[in-house]
Amino acid sequence: ISISLKALVVHYEVEASILGEGGGHVLGERKEGQKIIRVKSLSPSTDVGALARKVVEECKLIPSSRLPQVEQLLYYLQNRKSSPVEGKSQSLEKKEKRTAKPRELTPFEGMELNEEASITRVDEYIELLYEGIPEKIRGSALILQLARNPDNLEELLHNEAALGALARVLREDWKQSVELATIIIYIFFCFSSFAQFHGVVSHYKIGALCMSVVEHELKRHDVWREELRKKNKSAPENGSLRRDQDKAVRKYHGLLSKQEQLLRVSLYLLLNLAEDTRTELKMRNKNIVGLLVKVLERDDEELLVLVVSFLKKLSIFLENKNDMAEVDTVERLARLVPCDHEDLLNLTLRLLLNLSFDSGLRAKMVEVGLLPKLTALLGDENNRQVAMRILYHISIDDRFKGMFVYTDCIPQLMQMLYEHGEEETEAELISICINLAANKRNAQLMCEGNGLKMLMKRALKMKDCLLMKMIRNISQHDGPTKSVFIDYVGDLAAEIRAEEEEEWVLECLGTLANLTIPDLDWELVLKEYNLVPYLKDRLKPGSAEDDLILEVVIMIGTVSMDDACAAMLAKSGIIPALIELLNAQQEDDEFVCQIVYVFYQMVFHQATRDVIIKDTQAPAYLIDLMHDKNAEIRKVCDNTLDIIAEYDEEWGRKIQSEKFRFHNNQWLEMVESRQADESEPYLYDNDNDNDRTDLFYSADGITPADGSVSPDFFNDLQPQNGDLLHTGDGNDVFDQTSSSPGRPATAYGFRPDEQPFYQYS
């Protein structure tokens, strides 16, 4: 007794004997047989003992002594995880759920079989495989009838003669008959549908043979098309040649139909075998990707469903994805979007989604015109989510953000946000909106009509951090967009409280900090909503997450543009707090740059300028940072020091001296080293002035103290950015030729230590 499907198989022998007159054995014959006892009703709650007794009672072939064995087999059948009837591998089951199964293959077109195959006559069918092609087709077709019934697969598996003969015929004769090749490959396909039979398919090397079949048929198709093209070119408008041409076209379509049937069953078998990654690697080495992409030129939708499913499975591996990039896969897939076949469209989009993780392939998608096609699918309920995920990947790249303006994408996205009401916004939807809002023109489209009003109302009501992140991106753009935010300054300021979640406060504060609007009365805003204590408390290192502290610094830089506001901040003791924070975060260029920018804003105002110059060591810190490796820090620091040098004579001399020393550091080091080494000969032998250090150091760091060098000598020098210029009338003026810098660009959205706001596998 053995297990097959949800059944017990009883193997038995029948022996017939002829007895002589004396009762002795004269002649006998023994024959093996089997009986299948189906137990479809077997379930986890079935009483196995009672069922076993019933089986033994009803099947006279099983002696009562075998009851424990029957009960044991039923118990095993009840509890095993994967029974033969469900014998497809787990990975195959998942594949069938996520892909569309091609329609039933019909290899019997053009031939009639008036007899029904029997498992007991397999040997007769094998004999036909040693005859001519018609007999081989008939014999293999009868075996296929049996193989299509899973109940017969195990017995066929044990018939090595049958499988060996089929493999031999396929290997020797597949080029002679497409029908014969289709039928035999279909037989092995039936075995490949079950994971436990993959070994026998590999044993006969059917997978490698199928690869050869597919490659040969694709080359033959190229020959057919070339011949048809030549006939089309030479055929006149009417006459016998035109009739020959029509006949050739009909013949071509007939051959194409049979060939595509062969391709389908061959590729389906390979897809089943590819469940084993080692087998898939062998296929990759034989250029399976190139073959599949070439099949994408066909028009048969069922074949395309299979090919796209196969490519989608392969695309999860980097090597296969790279192979697809080399053979113009995206261009071939673009023609399938959109299409009338729902399963094909969905599979194509999912394959494109896998490929869209590659930046080069994303660029290719835009190049072949997929952006407007994907945008149009946002209205398709069945494909909206996949299309939106692909668009999200495209929106990551700054090169393509602006191209969304020329599609209907942004109005559709805004409509979707509006329709959500009080429901939680889909992750894909808000993610793409956040990315697109980083583009100025996109942001303007989002604000058209009541767009910003709708976004603000929903964000404040739901306290939706991601929606506020989108608003924050919109607020960063200069131009008319910023002025629209004036109506919402109070609403945003009211959310900046210690009681609120830090993530929410971060986005609201970041939005406010972006509003560099000249006419905005920041002093009134800070007083009305009592923001100064909150800002000062958050400047303490460790008082909050670094991102929030950084936004507080940026906010202080924004409000410091207002004279009265800057004075109020200076009186509150914020400047020492900033210096303390600068010490704590001196390794973080982002913090350093933004804190220096706050100093730059404050030195413009008399009240705060005096506090910074006279009551703090901020200028000394700025001198230390004057030669920082970060160019943005150097730029802001240099401009700040120029202003300090203009208004404070003592600091001006120190700054000029440091600039001179830095620019001439190498030369000065050489001179000092010559002076230190008295044993070395003098650098200048014709005079004794080389030991006069006053030529190099003086009160202002440049001009010799005794006036031995005329100031006119320095007038010919090009002044550095922010240097004092000698006018000749005794009044030095501050060099204003360089434009004052705007606020330094922040790393908002691009901090290397910050995880993406939305991620899916």
Side-chain angles (χ1 to χ4, degrees):
I1 304 173
S2 65
I3 297 175
S4 177
L5 309 176
K6 280 191 176 180
L8 297 179
V9 181
V10 181
H11 300 274
Y12 62 92
E13 291 183 355
V14 177
E15 183 177 357
S17 300
I18 299 177
L19 303 179
E21 293 180 356
H25 181 78
V26 177
L27 184 64
E29 182 180 356
R30 179 176 295 180
K31 184 177 181 181
E32 295 182 353
Q34 66 179 27
K35 180 178 179 60
I36 298 176
I37 304 173
R38 300 185 182 278
V39 284
K40 293 182 178 179
S41 61
L42 183 64
S43 67
S45 60
T46 302
D47 185 344
V48 175
L51 181 59
R53 289 191 294 273
K54 183 177 180 181
V55 169
V56 172
E57 289 172 2
E58 295 187 358
C59 182
K60 303 304 180 183
L61 295 171
I62 306 176
S64 57
S65 61
R66 290 293 189 97
L67 177 61
Q69 183 183 0
V70 173
E71 185 173 348
Q72 183 181 9
L73 291 173
L74 288 173
Y75 179 79
Y76 171 75
L77 188 62
Q78 182 186 47
N79 291 280
R80 67 179 176 175
K81 294 182 179 178
S82 178
S83 58
V85 74
E86 303 163 337
K88 300 177 184 179
S89 63
Q90 292 183 3
S91 54
L92 180 59
E93 290 175 356
K94 292 178 182 177
K95 171 175 71 64
E96 290 190 343
K97 289 178 183 177
R98 67 178 183 263
T99 63
K101 185 178 180 179
R103 62 181 172 84
E104 185 69 15
L105 301 173
T106 54
F108 307 119
E109 294 176 3
M111 60 177 294
E112 293 183 2
L113 288 175
N114 296 323
E115 58 182 306
E116 186 172 346
S118 172
I119 193 67
T120 60
R121 300 178 61 190
V122 172
D123 293 340
E124 298 177 20
Y125 308 149
I126 295 175
E127 293 178 2
L128 294 173
L129 298 177
Y130 293 92
E131 304 294 334
I133 294 297
E135 290 77 11
K136 289 177 180 178
I137 293 176
R138 181 172 172 271
S140 58
L142 289 167
I143 296 175
L144 177 57
Q145 281 190 25
L146 299 173
R148 291 173 71 179
N149 183 355
D151 296 349
N152 299 321
L153 288 179
E154 191 167 358
E155 185 163 343
L156 287 173
L157 179 66
H158 296 305
N159 194 328
E160 295 183 6
L163 295 180
L166 288 168
R168 177 186 59 79
V169 171
L170 178 62
R171 191 160 42 250
E172 294 176 357
D173 299 330
W174 66 268
K175 290 184 180 180
Q176 299 183 37
S177 171
V178 173
E179 284 182 323
L180 178 62
T182 303
I183 294 171
I184 296 178
I185 292 175
Y186 198 165
I187 294 171
F188 285 101
F189 160 75
C190 294
F191 283 97
S192 74
S193 298
F194 301 92
Q196 62 265 41
F197 297 143
H198 283 187
V200 68
V201 180
S202 300
H203 173 73
Y204 290 105
K205 298 183 175 11
I206 303 301
L209 198 52
C210 285
M211 291 282 293
S212 300
V213 169
V214 172
E215 185 176 7
H216 175 79
E217 292 301 323
L218 292 177
K219 290 179 180 178
R220 186 153 65 169
H221 179 252
D222 290 339
V223 174
W224 293 346
R225 287 198 305 181
E226 181 61 23
E227 291 177 352
L228 194 62
R229 187 189 64 81
K230 290 179 179 179
K231 289 186 178 181
N232 279 333
K233 190 175 181 180
S234 61
E237 292 297 325
N238 49 47
S240 60
L241 289 177
R242 169 53 65 184
R243 287 193 295 271
D244 291 342
Q245 169 63 16
D246 294 340
K247 183 179 178 180
V249 171
R250 289 194 298 270
K251 180 181 178 181
Y252 166 75
H253 286 296
L255 293 171
L256 189 63
S257 177
K258 291 183 178 181
Q259 187 189 64
E260 288 180 342
Q261 192 175 36
L262 174 58
L263 290 174
R264 278 201 297 132
V265 69
S266 300
L267 292 174
Y268 211 147
L269 183 146
L270 291 172
L271 176 58
N272 288 344
L273 295 181
E275 295 296 328
D276 184 348
T277 53
R278 292 171 299 179
T279 304
E280 182 179 315
L281 179 59
K282 293 178 182 178
M283 294 181 190
R284 189 248 171 182
N285 293 335
K286 291 181 178 291
N287 191 32
I288 184 64
V289 171
L291 298 177
L292 290 171
V293 172
K294 190 164 181 62
V295 179
L296 288 176
E297 300 174 352
R298 304 297 182 100
D299 295 322
D300 184 276
E301 291 180 336
E302 295 298 328
L303 177 60
L304 290 173
V305 165
L306 175 60
V307 170
V308 176
S309 301
F310 206 157
L311 286 170
K312 178 176 172 291
K313 179 186 183 303
L314 295 172
S315 66
I316 64 175
F317 292 99
L318 177 65
E319 296 81 2
N320 294 332
K321 183 268 296 179
N322 292 338
D323 289 345
M324 293 179 199
E326 292 177 1
V327 291
D328 300 331
T329 307
V330 172
E331 291 88 331
R332 306 277 175 87
L333 293 172
R335 74 181 186 89
L336 303 178
V337 181
C339 65
D340 296 331
H341 196 290
E342 186 64 28
D343 291 330
L344 178 58
L345 176 58
N346 187 263
L347 283 167
T348 303
L349 291 174
R350 292 185 180 278
L351 172 56
L352 288 170
L353 175 60
N354 283 359
L355 298 179
S356 67
F357 283 89
D358 183 278
S359 60
L361 291 174
R362 288 201 300 269
K364 183 65 68 175
M365 291 177 193
V366 176
E367 181 183 327
V368 299
L370 273 174
L371 187 56
K373 292 182 177 181
L374 293 168
T375 299
L377 289 174
L378 292 177
D380 183 349
E381 192 67 32
N382 295 328
N383 298 298
R384 173 186 298 172
Q385 189 179 50
V386 184
M388 195 176 297
R389 287 181 174 183
I390 302 172
L391 290 171
Y392 165 74
H393 282 171
I394 295 174
S395 72
I396 292 174
D397 199 319
D398 289 336
R399 294 175 298 170
F400 309 130
K401 285 184 173 72
M403 300 185 71
F404 283 81
V405 175
Y406 305 103
T407 69
D408 195 36
C409 185
I410 292 176
Q412 290 191 66
L413 295 176
M414 294 296 290
Q415 182 64 27
M416 291 179 200
L417 286 174
Y418 179 77
E419 291 173 353
H420 266 76
E422 296 186 2
E423 299 176 5
E424 185 178 357
T425 310
E426 297 175 16
E428 293 88 357
L429 174 59
I430 190 60
S431 298
I432 188 175
C433 288
I434 290 171
N435 284 347
L436 294 180
N439 176 270
K440 184 174 182 179
R441 182 64 184 123
N442 290 339
Q444 291 173 350
L445 287 177
M446 292 173 179
C447 293
E448 285 185 354
N450 292 323
L452 182 60
K453 181 179 180 180
M454 181 270 291
L455 293 174
M456 289 294 303
K457 182 178 179 181
R458 176 178 170 79
L460 293 170
K461 183 177 182 180
M462 306 283 294
K463 294 200 182 292
D464 189 329
C465 294
L466 290 179
L467 195 56
M468 185 56 72
K469 187 184 288 287
M470 174 186 173
I471 296 171
R472 177 180 172 185
N473 271 359
I474 294 174
S475 69
Q476 69 181 321
H477 304 292
D478 294 326
T481 308
K482 281 191 179 179
S483 60
V484 185
F485 279 87
I486 291 181
D487 296 336
Y488 307 104
V489 170
D491 295 323
L492 292 168
E495 298 298 321
I496 302 174
R497 303 191 303 268
E499 300 80 24
E500 297 290 347
E501 292 288 334
E502 278 194 8
E503 186 180 2
W504 170 250
V505 174
L506 172 66
E507 302 303 334
C508 294
L509 191 62
T511 305
L512 270 181
N514 284 333
L515 303 183
T516 52
I517 304 173
D519 299 333
L520 192 56
D521 189 347
W522 281 114
E523 182 187 17
L524 180 61
V525 174
L526 294 183
K527 286 182 178 179
E528 184 173 350
Y529 296 96
N530 197 28
L531 294 183
V532 175
Y534 178 89
L535 297 176
K536 184 178 178 182
D537 290 342
R538 288 299 178 271
L539 286 178
K540 298 175 182 177
S543 61
E545 292 292 330
D546 282 355
D547 283 347
L548 180 57
I549 298 176
L550 179 62
E551 285 306 320
V552 169
V553 175
I554 296 174
M555 178 68 179
I556 293 172
T558 298
V559 301
S560 295
M561 297 178 183
D562 186 299
D563 189 16
C565 193
M568 182 174 63
L569 291 175
K571 292 177 183 178
S572 69
I574 271 183
I575 295 176
L578 286 170
I579 294 176
E580 182 182 353
L581 181 62
L582 181 62
N583 278 326
Q585 299 285 356
Q586 56 186 318
E587 300 299 325
D588 191 320
D589 286 358
E590 182 80 14
F591 268 100
V592 172
C593 191
Q594 296 298 338
I595 292 173
V596 172
Y597 180 73
V598 174
F599 293 153
Y600 172 78
Q601 288 293 341
M602 287 189 169
V603 295
F604 272 114
H605 313 297
Q606 182 65 41
T608 51
R609 184 191 310 126
D610 292 341
V611 173
I612 288 177
I613 295 175
K614 297 178 180 179
D615 300 339
T616 72
Q617 290 299 312
Y621 281 100
L622 294 174
I623 289 175
D624 289 340
L625 293 170
M626 193 164 57
H627 314 305
D628 192 89
K629 61 183 179 180
N630 187 298
E632 192 69 24
I633 293 177
R634 292 199 306 270
K635 177 182 176 182
V636 181
C637 191
D638 197 39
N639 283 278
T640 308
L641 287 172
D642 288 345
I643 299 174
I644 293 174
E646 178 184 1
Y647 290 100
D648 188 277
E649 184 178 350
E650 181 179 354
W651 278 113
R653 288 196 299 270
K654 292 179 181 179
I655 292 168
Q656 289 288 8
S657 177
E658 177 60 27
K659 284 186 177 183
F660 176 80
R661 179 176 291 276
F662 176 75
H663 289 298
N664 300 277
N665 186 54
Q666 189 174 10
W667 180 69
L668 289 173
E669 285 181 357
M670 181 189 69
V671 173
E672 290 172 350
S673 64
R674 291 286 187 178
Q675 293 172 342
D677 190 358
E678 296 181 356
S679 61
E680 289 287 330
Y682 290 124
L683 184 63
Y684 306 103
D685 294 332
N686 59 338
D687 58 43
N688 294 321
D689 290 337
N690 57 313
D691 59 345
R692 291 181 56 189
T693 57
D694 56 289
L695 287 176
F696 310 111
Y697 302 101
S698 61
D700 62 2
I702 298 180
T703 308
D706 60 358
S708 59
V709 179
S710 169
D712 295 337
F713 171 79
F714 296 97
N715 289 341
D716 297 330
L717 298 177
Q718 293 295 328
Q720 299 295 325
N721 181 26
D723 286 351
L724 291 177
L725 297 181
H726 297 280
T727 60
D729 58 0
N731 297 320
D732 295 340
V733 298
F734 186 69
D735 177 18
Q736 297 287 355
T737 56
S738 61
S739 59
S740 60
R743 189 170 70 188
T746 72
Y748 163 59
F750 304 97
R751 294 180 65 82
D753 57 343
E754 182 181 352
Q755 293 297 318
F757 49 79
Y758 175 60
Q759 202 172 42
Y760 57 84
S761 60

